[in-house]
């Protein structure tokens, strides 16, 4: 993991895939997570658990198929599901407490409905430049609240989260539009969320009544500069 000059945490997928030891460590970590019982965990531990599982499965999806330019180049193996062609999220990839789960199951069936916390969107990472940063360590119950607030603050104040356009409107991450119901259900709720985490520069830009003019998301893989996929 390295922090690029643009503020995005990037993964050396090529180096990781080339290391048998690193691949074995990831596989062992996934096996350890699969053997645990999140139903018996307290809220913070369970939230950290599901976030770590989602991110570890996503890393394995990329590493198993690398080189790819985007996670969306990897499809789910379910020809009966039209959404299978949008990416790898619909395929069941891990078993927890006897239940086969896809990445969509983890995020949209378990995490969002269970925790009802918009900061879920700062926990999960879909291996893309447009996503909130993948941490260089796992989520932990003991530091979860502080880490979630730090992740929210970092993303909101980064241009890929919220940026003021020359027109005076805001360009925001498409995450906020895709899941607007998790952020209050409307643009006013989004702006209130931004204000909660805004640092001085952004806070001044949000001081008036800015409108959300557009949204954007970069699906390019969050790879280090030395791990360009082969053409």
């Amino acid at each position: 993991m390295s922090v690029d000059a643009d503020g995005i945490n990037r993964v050396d997928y090529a180096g990781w895939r080339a290391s048998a030891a690193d691949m074995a460590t990831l596989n062992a970590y996934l096996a350890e997570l699969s053997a645990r019982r999140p139903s018996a965990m307290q809220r913070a531990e369970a939230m950290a658990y599901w976030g770590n599982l989602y991110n570890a499965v996503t890393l394995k999806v990329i590493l198993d198929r690398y080189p790819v330019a985007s996670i969306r180049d990897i499809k789910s193996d379910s020809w009966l599901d039209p959404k299978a062609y949008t990416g790898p999220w619909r395929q069941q990839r891990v078993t927890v407490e006897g239940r086969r789960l896809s990445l969509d199951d983890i995020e949209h069936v378990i995490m969002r409905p269970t925790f009802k916390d918009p900061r879920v969107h700062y926990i999960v990472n879909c291996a893309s430049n447009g996503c909130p940063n993948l941490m260089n360590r796992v989520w932990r119950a003991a530091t979860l609240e502080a880490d979630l607030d730090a992740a929210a603050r970092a993303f909101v104040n980064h241009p890929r989260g919220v940026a003021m356009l020359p027109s005076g409107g805001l360009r925001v991450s498409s995450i906020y539009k895709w899941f607007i119901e998790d952020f209050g259900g409307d643009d006013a709720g989004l702006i209130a969320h931004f204000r909660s985490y805004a640092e001085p520069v952004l806070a001044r830009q949000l001081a008036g009544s800015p409108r959300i003019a557009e949204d954007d998301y970069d699906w390019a893989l969050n790879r280090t500069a030395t791990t360009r996929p082969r053409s």
Side-chain angles (χ1 to χ4, degrees), residues 4 17 21 65 80 91-92 127 134 186 195 197 201 225 231:
D4 209 341
R17 183 181 168 101
R65 293 289 298 276
L80 292 174
Q91 183 172 336
Q92 294 174 339
L134 178 67
D186 55 22
R195 286 178 174 146
Y197 295 102
V201 172
S231 57

Side-chain angles (χ1 to χ4, degrees), residues 9 47-48 50-52 54-55 107 111-112 117-127 130-139 144-158 160-162 172-177 179 182-184 189-198 202 217:
N9 289 357
M47 198 171 183
W50 287 115
N52 290 331
Y54 184 100
N55 293 339
E107 181 177 7
M111 295 188 74
R112 292 174 62 216
D117 188 327
R119 295 175 302 173
V120 161
H121 299 289
Y122 304 117
I123 295 178
V124 296
N125 181 277
C126 61
C131 209
N133 276 336
L134 178 67
M135 285 209 307
N136 60 0
R137 57 180 173 81
V138 299
W139 297 96
L144 185 65
E145 282 299 312
D147 288 340
L148 285 175
D149 282 342
R153 189 172 300 109
F155 190 68
V156 166
N157 290 281
H158 191 277
R160 72 193 192 281
V162 183
V172 304
S173 167
S174 296
I175 291 170
Y176 297 121
K177 286 296 189 177
F179 305 110
D182 296 347
F183 295 91
L190 290 177
I191 291 173
H193 178 80
F194 302 153
R195 286 178 174 146
S196 296
Y197 295 102
L202 181 60
Y217 192 86

